[in-house]
Amino acid sequence: MDTFFSVAEMSRFSSRSRKEGKSISFVPTMGFLHEGHVSLIREARRRGDVCVVSIFVNPTQFGVGEDFQSYPRDLERDTEIALKNGVDVLFVPGAAEMYPKGYQTYVNVEEITLPLCGASRPGHFRGVATVVAKLFNIVKPDSAIFGEKDYQQLAVIRRMVGDLNMGVEIVGMPIVREPDGLAMSSRNAYLSPAERKSALCLSRAIAAAIELYRSGNRSVPALRNEALRIIGEEPAARVDYVELRDGESLAEVDTADDGTVLALAVRIGATRLIDNRMLGRGVVCRETC
Ligand code: PAF
C-alpha cells in the first residue's frame, strides 16, 4: 500500500493508473475508520482495479463551535485497517495542501442542502461539496463509494456530480450497525457508557416508526410523532430534527410511501448523531441492513 501526503503525488499516481487502463474506485473519509468504512472499502475493491481511500478531516465542513478540533484522529490505526482490507493507496493530504493560502473557490449545491442537516449546520454541505469535488479532481475516480448513514450528503453529492457532469459513478452503501442497532459512526467514540445506551433511542425510534408504517399508517405526522415519542422517553436526548422526506429530492411529502426517508438528528449529551431509514426497506436489523 502506498501512502501519499501530497496532492501532486496522488494526482500523478491516478493519471498513471488511468493511462495504464486501470479503473479507480475511491472511498473519501475523515478517518477513524470503523466497520462502516470497511464495507465501503470492500465495495470499492469489488468495483475497481485500484482502491484509493482518502483521510482528511475537512475544516470547511465544520461550523464555528463544532467538533473540528476534537474530531477523533488515529492515522496509525487507520493505516493498519486500510492495509488489512486491501487498500492500494491511502491519500492523507494536510489542510495546507487542500486549501493553500489564497484559496477562494467553493461548490454550492442549492435547494437539497437547505433542510435537515443543512438547516442545523449552515455551510456544512458547501464544505462537503467543495472537498469532494476537489478530491474527485485529484483522485480521478471512476466510482466513489459513500455510506447511506449520511443520507443527505449522498443526495447532495449525487446532485453535484450530475449537475456538473463529473462522470463519477456514485455508489451508496447500506448503514452498518452495531449488534444493538446503533449506526456506526466515528463520533460514537465521544459517547460515555451511559450515553452509548441512550443513543439507542435513534434506531429504536426508526424501528417504531417503521412498525407503524408497516401496520398501514401512511400519515407523516403520525409516523414522525411515533419516532419523537420514543426519543422523548430518553432524558439525555435532544431532538435536532425528525423528518420524513422524499428519498431522492428530500422535498417534503404529504403522505409516506416506500420511497420516503425518515431522517433524524439527535443530540446525546454533547454528541450529535444522525440516522435514517427508507420506509420501504424494512425494520431495523442487526449489522448491515
Ligand atoms: O462523510 C465523510 O466522512 C465526509 O463528509 C467526506 C465525504 C469524506 C467529506 O469530507
Side-chain angles (χ1 to χ4, degrees):
M1 184 177 81
D2 288 314
T3 301
F4 299 137
F5 295 95
S6 80
V7 167
E9 279 175 305
M10 182 68 245
S11 184
R12 254 197 315 272
F13 175 92
S14 291
S15 298
R16 203 172 49 238
S17 300
R18 289 188 76 109
K19 261 193 210 128
E20 288 167 1
K22 293 181 183 151
S23 62
I24 300 174
S25 52
F26 177 41
V27 181
T29 81
M30 298 206 299
F32 213 67
L33 304 179
H34 51 67
E35 272 306 308
H37 295 114
V38 170
S39 79
L40 309 184
I41 292 169
R42 275 194 209 112
E43 182 62 19
R45 288 193 56 202
R46 212 179 60 75
R47 281 176 181 267
D49 300 319
V50 178
C51 169
V52 178
V53 172
S54 66
I55 295 180
F56 179 59
V57 184
N58 172 36
T60 65
Q61 70 187 72
F62 290 81
V64 178
E66 290 190 348
D67 57 341
F68 173 66
Q69 296 298 345
S70 57
Y71 196 85
R73 294 159 167 91
D74 189 341
L75 185 56
E76 208 177 306
R77 183 173 156 277
D78 286 347
T79 303
E80 272 171 32
I81 293 173
L83 254 177
K84 199 170 136 208
N85 287 284
V87 170
D88 298 298
V89 175
L90 209 51
F91 176 42
V92 192
E97 275 284 306
M98 293 296 279
Y99 300 108
K101 201 163 177 285
Y103 187 89
Q104 49 188 294
T105 305
Y106 293 88
V107 179
N108 195 34
V109 184
E110 304 209 338
E111 274 119 279
I112 203 168
T113 64
L114 298 179
L116 309 174
C117 290
S120 42
R121 303 186 67 190
H124 170 66
F125 288 117
R126 178 181 184 255
V128 169
T130 300
V131 81
V132 170
K134 282 176 66 69
L135 289 167
F136 283 0
N137 285 335
I138 297 162
V139 175
K140 307 171 193 50
D142 297 272
S143 59
I145 329 293
F146 293 85
E148 287 176 352
K149 185 175 75 65
D150 295 276
Y151 193 89
Q152 189 176 14
Q153 168 173 283
L154 180 56
V156 168
I157 289 164
R158 283 193 203 284
R159 186 79 259 167
M160 173 184 78
V161 165
D163 288 353
L164 297 181
N165 311 100
M166 286 178 156
V168 178
E169 185 187 1
I170 303 300
V171 180
M173 291 296 290
I175 296 175
V176 178
R177 295 178 183 278
E178 301 284 358
D180 61 6
L182 181 67
M184 288 199 184
S185 163
S186 305
R187 288 191 169 96
N188 292 349
Y190 297 144
L191 300 169
S192 69
E195 288 172 339
R196 172 67 183 72
K197 277 192 196 136
S198 304
L200 291 178
C201 70
L202 281 88
S203 52
R204 278 203 203 111
I206 291 175
I210 294 283
E211 208 175 301
L212 189 59
Y213 176 75
R214 290 190 146 192
S215 76
N217 197 322
R218 299 289 180 266
S219 155
V220 168
L223 296 167
R224 181 169 182 272
N225 286 337
E226 180 62 0
L228 285 169
R229 183 181 68 77
I230 301 292
I231 298 166
E233 287 171 358
E234 182 47 65
R238 272 183 303 131
V239 172
D240 183 345
Y241 64 77
V242 172
E243 293 202 35
L244 289 109
R245 297 244 163 192
D246 177 77
E248 233 171 80
S249 66
L250 301 187
E252 289 181 43
V253 289
D254 295 329
T255 310
D257 63 26
D258 283 1
T260 302
V261 63
L262 168 61
L264 43 90
V266 177
R267 280 180 203 281
I268 304 292
T271 306
R272 184 177 177 279
L273 299 176
I274 55 175
D275 202 344
N276 70 78
R277 170 72 38 152
M278 287 290 284
L279 296 185
R281 204 181 252 182
V283 292
V284 174
C285 59
R286 294 161 73 86
E287 296 168 3
T288 310
C289 13

